Amino acid sequence: MKILFSISLTTAILSAVWAWLANSLGLIGWAGFLGCTSYFAYPKEGYKGVLITLLTIASGVVWGLVMIHSNSLLDNIPNFVEYLITGIVAFIMCIQAQKIWLSYIPGTFIGACAIFAAQGDWPVTLSSLLIGVLFGFSMKKSGLWLSEKLK
């Protein structure tokens, strides 16, 4: 129970800090929380977990941009071609998991979904997601540290 309490407390504090920071810097608050959640959901902890989460989310943003821009570049094409492109890119988003550094498929899809929701605004979206991952790491790490101190 002490671990859950400690992580909950540090998550609450750092969530408030993130909300203020995102607002102050013009970042996307909800995208940062997606990044944070992605780190919490990844089964491996520590720096390797952070790096894999960062890389997969960033790759998802890139693949999302590929879908957005391929559809806009191919004006006047039948809808089924857009659907085909979406299917091909989704396949690539999954198959890239053969590489350990891109093995977190949900992170890839979170990055793509975030860039769709942000209507392709990649600099702000990517910054918000990546900073959010670092906040997620900080929330968990500080919560575990606090739990040890409360023993």
Side-chain angles (χ1 to χ4, degrees), residues 16-29 121 123-125 127-128 130-132 135:
V17 170
W18 166 248
W20 169 79
L21 185 66
N23 189 50
S24 298
L25 298 178
L27 298 171
I28 305 170
D121 185 3
V124 174
T125 305
S127 299
S128 300
L130 299 182
I131 293 169
F135 263 82

Side-chain angles (χ1 to χ4, degrees), residues 9-131:
L9 181 61
T10 59
T11 297
I13 293 166
L14 289 174
S15 290
V17 170
W18 166 248
W20 169 79
L21 185 66
N23 189 50
S24 298
L25 298 178
L27 298 171
I28 305 170
W30 59 262
F33 283 115
L34 282 176
C36 171
T37 302
S38 296
Y39 175 75
F40 269 98
Y42 187 67
K44 291 188 171 60
E45 295 183 18
Y47 298 112
K48 185 174 183 180
V50 169
L51 186 57
I52 290 173
T53 304
L54 290 169
L55 291 172
T56 56
I57 283 178
S59 76
V61 168
V62 170
W63 290 121
L65 288 169
V66 166
M67 283 188 262
I68 289 169
H69 292 294
S70 66
N71 289 342
S72 66
L73 287 175
L74 301 172
D75 282 344
N76 302 323
I77 60 168
N79 284 345
F80 78 89
V81 176
E82 290 180 19
Y83 306 146
L84 182 62
I85 291 168
T86 299
I88 291 168
V89 173
F91 175 84
I92 294 169
M93 289 168 61
C94 293
I95 201 73
Q96 76 179 13
Q98 293 177 14
K99 303 296 181 192
I100 189 70
W101 298 109
L102 298 171
S103 62
Y104 184 39
I105 294 171
T108 305
F109 277 86
I110 287 169
C113 290
I115 200 65
F116 296 148
Q119 300 176 332
D121 185 3
W122 71 267
V124 174
T125 305
L126 186 59
S127 299
S128 300
L129 285 165
L130 299 182
I131 293 169

